[in-house]
Amino acid sequence: MSFKNPIIGLCQQARFLISAAKVDQCPPDEGLEVAFAGRSNAGKSSALNTLTHASLARTSKTPGRTQLLNFFSLDEHRRLVDLPGYGYAKVPIPLKQHWQHHLEAYLSSRESLAGLVLMMDIRHPLTDFDRLMLDWSSASHMPLHILLTKADKLAFGAAKNALLKVRQDIRKGWGEGVTIQLFSAPKRQGIEEAQAVLARWLQLEDEASGEDGNA
């Protein structure tokens, strides 16, 4: 019998909850949530929409449009969070500083945060921002899963080699706890692997096995 990840059903009923410019504007800190982070040009919103089979996050040809913490409700106890993108040169310095301050406050204080999905453009991985996120997740023991986005921009062999190289660098710098995969929103590559991570962090695996066993 084929396995159907319960995250898919939840995403079909997902709805926008709230946008927060500051941590004190976030929803109540209860239940579980998974946050999506990445540089402004890493394809974060496209990846989020592809993973959820929905148009939750606004995509734009102009990077840096996600300027707030955007919360999406999956059910009463689970949420996804689209974090502000960083690193886009045309964003004013004061705005960058505002984003960074409130992102740090969110990451350090949010008890319901169960895991962080970090997008890296496969052609430009491990930027300074990426390394900061890896440092933070390691220091706080927060589960982190990397999507090497835009994998379709490279030939299959080159993409595999890039994956192996980044994985090696990750293990040297941050140990075995960080997981990583190839991902392409246009080609729908790596969706099931990433959804399995979401299901585990949002504690949906038991529900899936129960449904499968009763079918």
mmCIF file of all heavy atoms in Angstrom, residues 60-107:
data_model
loop_
_atom_site.group_PDB
_atom_site.id
_atom_site.type_symbol
_atom_site.label_atom_id
_atom_site.label_comp_id
_atom_site.label_asym_id
_atom_site.label_seq_id
_atom_site.Cartn_x
_atom_site.Cartn_y
_atom_site.Cartn_z
ATOM 1 N N SER A 60 7.972 36.363 -5.953
ATOM 2 C CA SER A 60 8.204 37.598 -6.681
ATOM 3 C C SER A 60 9.500 37.498 -7.459
ATOM 4 O O SER A 60 10.428 36.808 -7.050
ATOM 5 C CB SER A 60 8.278 38.787 -5.705
ATOM 6 O OG SER A 60 8.664 39.966 -6.396
ATOM 7 N N LYS A 61 9.557 38.168 -8.593
ATOM 8 C CA LYS A 61 10.796 38.233 -9.348
ATOM 9 C C LYS A 61 11.801 39.165 -8.672
ATOM 10 O O LYS A 61 12.972 39.191 -9.035
ATOM 11 C CB LYS A 61 10.515 38.698 -10.776
ATOM 12 C CG LYS A 61 9.730 37.681 -11.603
ATOM 13 C CD LYS A 61 9.528 38.156 -13.037
ATOM 14 C CE LYS A 61 8.758 37.119 -13.841
ATOM 15 N NZ LYS A 61 8.542 37.568 -15.241
ATOM 16 N N THR A 62 11.332 39.935 -7.713
ATOM 17 C CA THR A 62 12.210 40.822 -6.959
ATOM 18 C C THR A 62 12.496 40.198 -5.602
ATOM 19 O O THR A 62 11.609 40.129 -4.754
ATOM 20 C CB THR A 62 11.557 42.198 -6.745
ATOM 21 O OG1 THR A 62 11.216 42.755 -8.011
ATOM 22 C CG2 THR A 62 12.508 43.134 -6.015
ATOM 23 N N PRO A 63 13.723 39.697 -5.368
ATOM 24 C CA PRO A 63 14.042 39.084 -4.079
ATOM 25 C C PRO A 63 13.895 40.084 -2.940
ATOM 26 O O PRO A 63 14.013 41.288 -3.125
ATOM 27 C CB PRO A 63 15.505 38.653 -4.245
ATOM 28 C CG PRO A 63 15.737 38.605 -5.718
ATOM 29 C CD PRO A 63 14.848 39.659 -6.307
ATOM 30 N N GLY A 64 13.631 39.545 -1.743
ATOM 31 C CA GLY A 64 13.575 40.398 -0.563
ATOM 32 C C GLY A 64 12.203 40.919 -0.227
ATOM 33 O O GLY A 64 12.071 41.804 0.604
ATOM 34 N N ARG A 65 11.159 40.370 -0.851
ATOM 35 C CA ARG A 65 9.812 40.877 -0.602
ATOM 36 C C ARG A 65 9.220 40.354 0.721
ATOM 37 O O ARG A 65 8.302 40.958 1.257
ATOM 38 C CB ARG A 65 8.888 40.489 -1.764
ATOM 39 C CG ARG A 65 9.153 41.295 -3.032
ATOM 40 C CD ARG A 65 8.777 42.763 -2.836
ATOM 41 N NE ARG A 65 9.082 43.577 -3.999
ATOM 42 C CZ ARG A 65 8.295 43.723 -5.051
ATOM 43 N NH1 ARG A 65 7.145 43.091 -5.091
ATOM 44 N NH2 ARG A 65 8.665 44.490 -6.054
ATOM 45 N N THR A 66 9.724 39.219 1.213
ATOM 46 C CA THR A 66 9.226 38.703 2.480
ATOM 47 C C THR A 66 9.892 39.478 3.600
ATOM 48 O O THR A 66 11.029 39.238 3.953
ATOM 49 C CB THR A 66 9.534 37.194 2.627
ATOM 50 O OG1 THR A 66 8.996 36.495 1.511
ATOM 51 C CG2 THR A 66 8.914 36.632 3.896
ATOM 52 N N GLN A 67 9.176 40.448 4.157
ATOM 53 C CA GLN A 67 9.760 41.342 5.148
ATOM 54 C C GLN A 67 9.184 41.124 6.541
ATOM 55 O O GLN A 67 9.549 41.828 7.477
ATOM 56 C CB GLN A 67 9.548 42.790 4.707
ATOM 57 C CG GLN A 67 10.173 43.091 3.354
ATOM 58 C CD GLN A 67 9.904 44.509 2.893
ATOM 59 O OE1 GLN A 67 9.390 45.324 3.639
ATOM 60 N NE2 GLN A 67 10.264 44.807 1.661
ATOM 61 N N LEU A 68 8.301 40.138 6.684
ATOM 62 C CA LEU A 68 7.674 39.850 7.961
ATOM 63 C C LEU A 68 7.775 38.356 8.249
ATOM 64 O O LEU A 68 8.104 37.559 7.372
ATOM 65 C CB LEU A 68 6.200 40.265 7.935
ATOM 66 C CG LEU A 68 5.889 41.719 7.607
ATOM 67 C CD1 LEU A 68 4.397 41.883 7.344
ATOM 68 C CD2 LEU A 68 6.340 42.637 8.726
ATOM 69 N N LEU A 69 7.493 37.983 9.486
ATOM 70 C CA LEU A 69 7.333 36.568 9.819
ATOM 71 C C LEU A 69 5.891 36.209 9.489
ATOM 72 O O LEU A 69 4.958 36.717 10.112
ATOM 73 C CB LEU A 69 7.617 36.321 11.303
ATOM 74 C CG LEU A 69 9.057 36.499 11.785
ATOM 75 C CD1 LEU A 69 9.287 37.950 12.217
ATOM 76 C CD2 LEU A 69 9.337 35.582 12.964
ATOM 77 N N ASN A 70 5.713 35.369 8.479
ATOM 78 C CA ASN A 70 4.370 35.007 8.023
ATOM 79 C C ASN A 70 4.010 33.611 8.525
ATOM 80 O O ASN A 70 4.696 32.634 8.224
ATOM 81 C CB ASN A 70 4.299 35.056 6.496
ATOM 82 C CG ASN A 70 4.488 36.464 5.972
ATOM 83 O OD1 ASN A 70 3.826 37.395 6.420
ATOM 84 N ND2 ASN A 70 5.402 36.633 5.028
ATOM 85 N N PHE A 71 2.917 33.530 9.277
ATOM 86 C CA PHE A 71 2.495 32.276 9.895
ATOM 87 C C PHE A 71 1.315 31.689 9.116
ATOM 88 O O PHE A 71 0.374 32.403 8.764
ATOM 89 C CB PHE A 71 2.074 32.512 11.344
ATOM 90 C CG PHE A 71 3.222 32.845 12.253
ATOM 91 C CD1 PHE A 71 3.747 34.133 12.302
ATOM 92 C CD2 PHE A 71 3.793 31.871 13.063
ATOM 93 C CE1 PHE A 71 4.806 34.447 13.132
ATOM 94 C CE2 PHE A 71 4.854 32.178 13.906
ATOM 95 C CZ PHE A 71 5.361 33.464 13.938
ATOM 96 N N PHE A 72 1.375 30.362 8.891
ATOM 97 C CA PHE A 72 0.307 29.644 8.208
ATOM 98 C C PHE A 72 -0.138 28.482 9.091
ATOM 99 O O PHE A 72 0.682 27.685 9.553
ATOM 100 C CB PHE A 72 0.787 29.116 6.850
ATOM 101 C CG PHE A 72 1.291 30.205 5.946
ATOM 102 C CD1 PHE A 72 2.644 30.522 5.905
ATOM 103 C CD2 PHE A 72 0.423 30.923 5.149
ATOM 104 C CE1 PHE A 72 3.112 31.538 5.089
ATOM 105 C CE2 PHE A 72 0.882 31.948 4.324
ATOM 106 C CZ PHE A 72 2.233 32.254 4.296
ATOM 107 N N SER A 73 -1.418 28.408 9.342
ATOM 108 C CA SER A 73 -1.979 27.375 10.205
ATOM 109 C C SER A 73 -2.284 26.111 9.409
ATOM 110 O O SER A 73 -2.943 26.171 8.362
ATOM 111 C CB SER A 73 -3.254 27.901 10.868
ATOM 112 O OG SER A 73 -3.897 26.873 11.584
ATOM 113 N N LEU A 74 -1.798 24.965 9.913
ATOM 114 C CA LEU A 74 -2.136 23.666 9.311
ATOM 115 C C LEU A 74 -3.313 23.034 10.045
ATOM 116 O O LEU A 74 -4.182 22.434 9.429
ATOM 117 C CB LEU A 74 -0.921 22.735 9.345
ATOM 118 C CG LEU A 74 0.316 23.217 8.579
ATOM 119 C CD1 LEU A 74 1.434 22.198 8.700
ATOM 120 C CD2 LEU A 74 -0.011 23.482 7.118
ATOM 121 N N ASP A 75 -3.296 23.114 11.356
ATOM 122 C CA ASP A 75 -4.434 22.718 12.183
ATOM 123 C C ASP A 75 -4.324 23.510 13.482
ATOM 124 O O ASP A 75 -3.565 24.478 13.559
ATOM 125 C CB ASP A 75 -4.483 21.190 12.410
ATOM 126 C CG ASP A 75 -3.258 20.645 13.139
ATOM 127 O OD1 ASP A 75 -2.534 21.452 13.788
ATOM 128 O OD2 ASP A 75 -3.010 19.432 13.069
ATOM 129 N N GLU A 76 -5.045 23.113 14.501
ATOM 130 C CA GLU A 76 -5.060 23.892 15.739
ATOM 131 C C GLU A 76 -3.715 23.892 16.452
ATOM 132 O O GLU A 76 -3.440 24.774 17.277
ATOM 133 C CB GLU A 76 -6.139 23.352 16.684
ATOM 134 C CG GLU A 76 -7.563 23.567 16.179
ATOM 135 C CD GLU A 76 -8.587 23.065 17.176
ATOM 136 O OE1 GLU A 76 -8.176 22.519 18.230
ATOM 137 O OE2 GLU A 76 -9.791 23.208 16.911
ATOM 138 N N HIS A 77 -2.863 22.908 16.128
ATOM 139 C CA HIS A 77 -1.628 22.738 16.895
ATOM 140 C C HIS A 77 -0.358 22.854 16.054
ATOM 141 O O HIS A 77 0.736 22.803 16.607
ATOM 142 C CB HIS A 77 -1.639 21.367 17.591
ATOM 143 C CG HIS A 77 -2.866 21.103 18.389
ATOM 144 N ND1 HIS A 77 -3.151 21.768 19.564
ATOM 145 C CD2 HIS A 77 -3.905 20.248 18.173
ATOM 146 C CE1 HIS A 77 -4.303 21.336 20.049
ATOM 147 N NE2 HIS A 77 -4.785 20.427 19.218
ATOM 148 N N ARG A 78 -0.487 23.019 14.744
ATOM 149 C CA ARG A 78 0.691 22.996 13.880
ATOM 150 C C ARG A 78 0.680 24.170 12.911
ATOM 151 O O ARG A 78 -0.356 24.511 12.346
ATOM 152 C CB ARG A 78 0.746 21.676 13.098
ATOM 153 C CG ARG A 78 0.849 20.431 13.984
ATOM 154 C CD ARG A 78 0.775 19.161 13.143
ATOM 155 N NE ARG A 78 0.947 17.964 13.936
ATOM 156 C CZ ARG A 78 -0.060 17.259 14.468
ATOM 157 N NH1 ARG A 78 -1.312 17.658 14.272
ATOM 158 N NH2 ARG A 78 0.188 16.170 15.168
ATOM 159 N N ARG A 79 1.883 24.736 12.693
ATOM 160 C CA ARG A 79 2.024 25.899 11.819
ATOM 161 C C ARG A 79 3.309 25.799 10.994
ATOM 162 O O ARG A 79 4.269 25.137 11.392
ATOM 163 C CB ARG A 79 2.094 27.197 12.655
ATOM 164 C CG ARG A 79 0.865 27.509 13.462
ATOM 165 C CD ARG A 79 1.094 28.692 14.386
ATOM 166 N NE ARG A 79 2.157 28.411 15.353
ATOM 167 C CZ ARG A 79 1.978 27.731 16.486
ATOM 168 N NH1 ARG A 79 0.780 27.250 16.797
ATOM 169 N NH2 ARG A 79 2.985 27.533 17.309
ATOM 170 N N LEU A 80 3.311 26.502 9.878
ATOM 171 C CA LEU A 80 4.523 26.753 9.105
ATOM 172 C C LEU A 80 4.797 28.249 9.161
ATOM 173 O O LEU A 80 3.873 29.056 9.212
ATOM 174 C CB LEU A 80 4.357 26.304 7.649
ATOM 175 C CG LEU A 80 4.023 24.826 7.415
ATOM 176 C CD1 LEU A 80 3.871 24.556 5.924
ATOM 177 C CD2 LEU A 80 5.077 23.907 8.025
ATOM 178 N N VAL A 81 6.080 28.616 9.136
ATOM 179 C CA VAL A 81 6.463 30.019 9.248
ATOM 180 C C VAL A 81 7.428 30.366 8.120
ATOM 181 O O VAL A 81 8.464 29.713 7.949
ATOM 182 C CB VAL A 81 7.139 30.314 10.603
ATOM 183 C CG1 VAL A 81 7.301 31.820 10.779
ATOM 184 C CG2 VAL A 81 6.341 29.716 11.749
ATOM 185 N N ASP A 82 7.071 31.370 7.349
ATOM 186 C CA ASP A 82 7.943 31.882 6.281
ATOM 187 C C ASP A 82 8.709 33.072 6.863
ATOM 188 O O ASP A 82 8.138 34.124 7.129
ATOM 189 C CB ASP A 82 7.087 32.306 5.084
ATOM 190 C CG ASP A 82 7.928 32.660 3.866
ATOM 191 O OD1 ASP A 82 9.130 32.330 3.850
ATOM 192 O OD2 ASP A 82 7.382 33.264 2.928
ATOM 193 N N LEU A 83 10.016 32.878 7.070
ATOM 194 C CA LEU A 83 10.845 33.911 7.695
ATOM 195 C C LEU A 83 11.338 34.916 6.660
ATOM 196 O O LEU A 83 11.428 34.603 5.477
ATOM 197 C CB LEU A 83 12.044 33.271 8.403
ATOM 198 C CG LEU A 83 11.717 32.268 9.514
ATOM 199 C CD1 LEU A 83 13.005 31.710 10.110
ATOM 200 C CD2 LEU A 83 10.876 32.925 10.607
ATOM 201 N N PRO A 84 11.699 36.121 7.093
ATOM 202 C CA PRO A 84 12.203 37.125 6.153
ATOM 203 C C PRO A 84 13.449 36.652 5.418
ATOM 204 O O PRO A 84 14.335 36.024 6.008
ATOM 205 C CB PRO A 84 12.532 38.322 7.062
ATOM 206 C CG PRO A 84 11.711 38.124 8.277
ATOM 207 C CD PRO A 84 11.620 36.639 8.469
ATOM 208 N N GLY A 85 13.509 36.942 4.119
ATOM 209 C CA GLY A 85 14.704 36.626 3.348
ATOM 210 C C GLY A 85 15.783 37.665 3.606
ATOM 211 O O GLY A 85 15.490 38.815 3.916
ATOM 212 N N TYR A 86 17.039 37.240 3.464
ATOM 213 C CA TYR A 86 18.156 38.126 3.768
ATOM 214 C C TYR A 86 19.164 38.139 2.638
ATOM 215 O O TYR A 86 19.231 37.225 1.823
ATOM 216 C CB TYR A 86 18.849 37.692 5.068
ATOM 217 C CG TYR A 86 18.055 38.044 6.277
ATOM 218 C CD1 TYR A 86 17.052 37.200 6.720
ATOM 219 C CD2 TYR A 86 18.255 39.241 6.936
ATOM 220 C CE1 TYR A 86 16.278 37.531 7.811
ATOM 221 C CE2 TYR A 86 17.490 39.587 8.025
ATOM 222 C CZ TYR A 86 16.506 38.727 8.469
ATOM 223 O OH TYR A 86 15.736 39.073 9.536
ATOM 224 N N GLY A 87 19.961 39.209 2.607
ATOM 225 C CA GLY A 87 21.101 39.246 1.711
ATOM 226 C C GLY A 87 20.887 39.968 0.408
ATOM 227 O O GLY A 87 21.781 40.003 -0.432
ATOM 228 N N TYR A 88 19.703 40.536 0.204
ATOM 229 C CA TYR A 88 19.458 41.218 -1.062
ATOM 230 C C TYR A 88 19.998 42.641 -0.995
ATOM 231 O O TYR A 88 19.637 43.427 -0.121
ATOM 232 C CB TYR A 88 17.957 41.229 -1.367
ATOM 233 C CG TYR A 88 17.635 41.762 -2.746
ATOM 234 C CD1 TYR A 88 18.273 41.246 -3.881
ATOM 235 C CD2 TYR A 88 16.710 42.780 -2.914
ATOM 236 C CE1 TYR A 88 17.981 41.736 -5.133
ATOM 237 C CE2 TYR A 88 16.410 43.267 -4.172
ATOM 238 C CZ TYR A 88 17.048 42.736 -5.277
ATOM 239 O OH TYR A 88 16.768 43.223 -6.529
ATOM 240 N N ALA A 89 20.865 42.980 -1.916
ATOM 241 C CA ALA A 89 21.638 44.227 -1.841
ATOM 242 C C ALA A 89 20.767 45.477 -1.852
ATOM 243 O O ALA A 89 21.134 46.493 -1.263
ATOM 244 C CB ALA A 89 22.639 44.282 -2.987
ATOM 245 N N LYS A 90 19.605 45.442 -2.516
ATOM 246 C CA LYS A 90 18.811 46.648 -2.678
ATOM 247 C C LYS A 90 17.921 46.957 -1.470
ATOM 248 O O LYS A 90 17.244 47.970 -1.452
ATOM 249 C CB LYS A 90 17.949 46.539 -3.939
ATOM 250 C CG LYS A 90 18.771 46.538 -5.227
ATOM 251 C CD LYS A 90 17.881 46.516 -6.448
ATOM 252 C CE LYS A 90 18.712 46.520 -7.738
ATOM 253 N NZ LYS A 90 17.869 46.490 -8.952
ATOM 254 N N VAL A 91 17.916 46.068 -0.487
ATOM 255 C CA VAL A 91 17.148 46.346 0.727
ATOM 256 C C VAL A 91 17.936 47.320 1.592
ATOM 257 O O VAL A 91 19.118 47.115 1.848
ATOM 258 C CB VAL A 91 16.892 45.034 1.512
ATOM 259 C CG1 VAL A 91 16.216 45.330 2.840
ATOM 260 C CG2 VAL A 91 16.018 44.096 0.682
ATOM 261 N N PRO A 92 17.320 48.407 2.061
ATOM 262 C CA PRO A 92 18.035 49.392 2.872
ATOM 263 C C PRO A 92 18.642 48.783 4.136
ATOM 264 O O PRO A 92 18.060 47.877 4.736
ATOM 265 C CB PRO A 92 16.951 50.407 3.235
ATOM 266 C CG PRO A 92 15.901 50.237 2.178
ATOM 267 C CD PRO A 92 15.923 48.783 1.820
ATOM 268 N N ILE A 93 19.792 49.294 4.527
ATOM 269 C CA ILE A 93 20.506 48.760 5.690
ATOM 270 C C ILE A 93 19.648 48.771 6.958
ATOM 271 O O ILE A 93 19.615 47.772 7.684
ATOM 272 C CB ILE A 93 21.806 49.558 5.930
ATOM 273 C CG1 ILE A 93 22.786 49.322 4.778
ATOM 274 C CG2 ILE A 93 22.453 49.145 7.256
ATOM 275 C CD1 ILE A 93 23.260 47.900 4.651
ATOM 276 N N PRO A 94 18.922 49.858 7.282
ATOM 277 C CA PRO A 94 18.095 49.830 8.495
ATOM 278 C C PRO A 94 17.057 48.703 8.486
ATOM 279 O O PRO A 94 16.772 48.109 9.522
ATOM 280 C CB PRO A 94 17.417 51.206 8.493
ATOM 281 C CG PRO A 94 18.340 52.075 7.711
ATOM 282 C CD PRO A 94 18.879 51.184 6.630
ATOM 283 N N LEU A 95 16.496 48.423 7.316
ATOM 284 C CA LEU A 95 15.514 47.353 7.215
ATOM 285 C C LEU A 95 16.184 46.002 7.433
ATOM 286 O O LEU A 95 15.643 45.122 8.106
ATOM 287 C CB LEU A 95 14.827 47.394 5.846
ATOM 288 C CG LEU A 95 13.661 46.417 5.640
ATOM 289 C CD1 LEU A 95 12.612 46.594 6.736
ATOM 290 C CD2 LEU A 95 13.028 46.627 4.273
ATOM 291 N N LYS A 96 17.370 45.815 6.873
ATOM 292 C CA LYS A 96 18.121 44.580 7.105
ATOM 293 C C LYS A 96 18.364 44.380 8.607
ATOM 294 O O LYS A 96 18.211 43.280 9.137
ATOM 295 C CB LYS A 96 19.474 44.630 6.386
ATOM 296 C CG LYS A 96 19.415 44.459 4.880
ATOM 297 C CD LYS A 96 20.827 44.442 4.314
ATOM 298 C CE LYS A 96 20.825 44.289 2.802
ATOM 299 N NZ LYS A 96 22.191 44.283 2.237
ATOM 300 N N GLN A 97 18.771 45.462 9.278
ATOM 301 C CA GLN A 97 19.050 45.372 10.702
ATOM 302 C C GLN A 97 17.798 45.056 11.492
ATOM 303 O O GLN A 97 17.836 44.284 12.459
ATOM 304 C CB GLN A 97 19.677 46.683 11.178
ATOM 305 C CG GLN A 97 21.061 46.937 10.590
ATOM 306 C CD GLN A 97 21.594 48.320 10.910
ATOM 307 O OE1 GLN A 97 20.825 49.234 11.238
ATOM 308 N NE2 GLN A 97 22.902 48.485 10.825
ATOM 309 N N HIS A 98 16.658 45.624 11.078
ATOM 310 C CA HIS A 98 15.379 45.337 11.729
ATOM 311 C C HIS A 98 15.034 43.856 11.581
ATOM 312 O O HIS A 98 14.680 43.182 12.549
ATOM 313 C CB HIS A 98 14.280 46.203 11.103
ATOM 314 C CG HIS A 98 12.899 45.837 11.542
ATOM 315 N ND1 HIS A 98 12.338 46.291 12.712
ATOM 316 C CD2 HIS A 98 11.961 45.039 10.957
ATOM 317 C CE1 HIS A 98 11.117 45.793 12.845
ATOM 318 N NE2 HIS A 98 10.862 45.044 11.780
ATOM 319 N N TRP A 99 15.155 43.341 10.350
ATOM 320 C CA TRP A 99 14.858 41.927 10.111
ATOM 321 C C TRP A 99 15.746 41.034 10.974
ATOM 322 O O TRP A 99 15.282 40.091 11.600
ATOM 323 C CB TRP A 99 15.093 41.584 8.644
ATOM 324 C CG TRP A 99 14.116 42.182 7.711
ATOM 325 C CD1 TRP A 99 12.972 42.862 8.008
ATOM 326 C CD2 TRP A 99 14.188 42.155 6.287
ATOM 327 N NE1 TRP A 99 12.338 43.263 6.863
ATOM 328 C CE2 TRP A 99 13.053 42.843 5.799
ATOM 329 C CE3 TRP A 99 15.090 41.628 5.377
ATOM 330 C CZ2 TRP A 99 12.808 43.007 4.443
ATOM 331 C CZ3 TRP A 99 14.846 41.793 4.031
ATOM 332 C CH2 TRP A 99 13.722 42.473 3.568
ATOM 333 N N GLN A 100 17.048 41.342 10.965
ATOM 334 C CA GLN A 100 17.990 40.490 11.682
ATOM 335 C C GLN A 100 17.683 40.465 13.177
ATOM 336 O O GLN A 100 17.695 39.402 13.801
ATOM 337 C CB GLN A 100 19.421 40.975 11.454
ATOM 338 C CG GLN A 100 20.471 40.074 12.092
ATOM 339 C CD GLN A 100 21.882 40.443 11.669
ATOM 340 O OE1 GLN A 100 22.099 41.337 10.864
ATOM 341 N NE2 GLN A 100 22.842 39.742 12.222
ATOM 342 N N HIS A 101 17.393 41.615 13.734
ATOM 343 C CA HIS A 101 17.091 41.698 15.162
ATOM 344 C C HIS A 101 15.883 40.844 15.520
ATOM 345 O O HIS A 101 15.918 40.067 16.487
ATOM 346 C CB HIS A 101 16.835 43.158 15.547
ATOM 347 C CG HIS A 101 16.336 43.320 16.952
ATOM 348 N ND1 HIS A 101 17.143 43.169 18.059
ATOM 349 C CD2 HIS A 101 15.093 43.607 17.434
ATOM 350 C CE1 HIS A 101 16.425 43.353 19.152
ATOM 351 N NE2 HIS A 101 15.187 43.626 18.802
ATOM 352 N N HIS A 102 14.814 40.954 14.739
ATOM 353 C CA HIS A 102 13.588 40.232 15.086
ATOM 354 C C HIS A 102 13.664 38.757 14.703
ATOM 355 O O HIS A 102 13.021 37.923 15.348
ATOM 356 C CB HIS A 102 12.381 40.928 14.459
ATOM 357 C CG HIS A 102 12.104 42.259 15.081
ATOM 358 N ND1 HIS A 102 11.668 42.402 16.378
ATOM 359 C CD2 HIS A 102 12.247 43.523 14.599
ATOM 360 C CE1 HIS A 102 11.537 43.681 16.668
ATOM 361 N NE2 HIS A 102 11.884 44.383 15.615
ATOM 362 N N LEU A 103 14.452 38.427 13.692
ATOM 363 C CA LEU A 103 14.666 37.012 13.386
ATOM 364 C C LEU A 103 15.424 36.339 14.522
ATOM 365 O O LEU A 103 15.059 35.246 14.966
ATOM 366 C CB LEU A 103 15.449 36.858 12.073
ATOM 367 C CG LEU A 103 15.804 35.415 11.693
ATOM 368 C CD1 LEU A 103 14.537 34.573 11.531
ATOM 369 C CD2 LEU A 103 16.624 35.386 10.410
ATOM 370 N N GLU A 104 16.454 36.983 15.019
ATOM 371 C CA GLU A 104 17.211 36.433 16.138
ATOM 372 C C GLU A 104 16.327 36.273 17.372
ATOM 373 O O GLU A 104 16.404 35.269 18.089
ATOM 374 C CB GLU A 104 18.410 37.331 16.454
ATOM 375 C CG GLU A 104 19.509 37.286 15.398
ATOM 376 C CD GLU A 104 20.604 38.292 15.673
ATOM 377 O OE1 GLU A 104 20.435 39.129 16.582
ATOM 378 O OE2 GLU A 104 21.629 38.245 14.966
ATOM 379 N N ALA A 105 15.481 37.265 17.614
ATOM 380 C CA ALA A 105 14.579 37.188 18.764
ATOM 381 C C ALA A 105 13.606 36.025 18.613
ATOM 382 O O ALA A 105 13.327 35.305 19.582
ATOM 383 C CB ALA A 105 13.820 38.502 18.923
ATOM 384 N N TYR A 106 13.079 35.839 17.411
ATOM 385 C CA TYR A 106 12.164 34.727 17.160
ATOM 386 C C TYR A 106 12.864 33.389 17.384
ATOM 387 O O TYR A 106 12.361 32.510 18.099
ATOM 388 C CB TYR A 106 11.620 34.812 15.737
ATOM 389 C CG TYR A 106 10.920 33.543 15.287
ATOM 390 C CD1 TYR A 106 9.606 33.266 15.671
ATOM 391 C CD2 TYR A 106 11.582 32.616 14.492
ATOM 392 C CE1 TYR A 106 8.972 32.103 15.282
ATOM 393 C CE2 TYR A 106 10.962 31.442 14.097
ATOM 394 C CZ TYR A 106 9.660 31.193 14.494
ATOM 395 O OH TYR A 106 9.049 30.027 14.109
ATOM 396 N N LEU A 107 14.026 33.219 16.768
ATOM 397 C CA LEU A 107 14.734 31.936 16.837
ATOM 398 C C LEU A 107 15.136 31.587 18.264
ATOM 399 O O LEU A 107 15.105 30.422 18.666
ATOM 400 C CB LEU A 107 15.970 31.974 15.941
ATOM 401 C CG LEU A 107 15.715 32.057 14.436
ATOM 402 C CD1 LEU A 107 17.025 32.239 13.679
ATOM 403 C CD2 LEU A 107 14.989 30.814 13.926
#
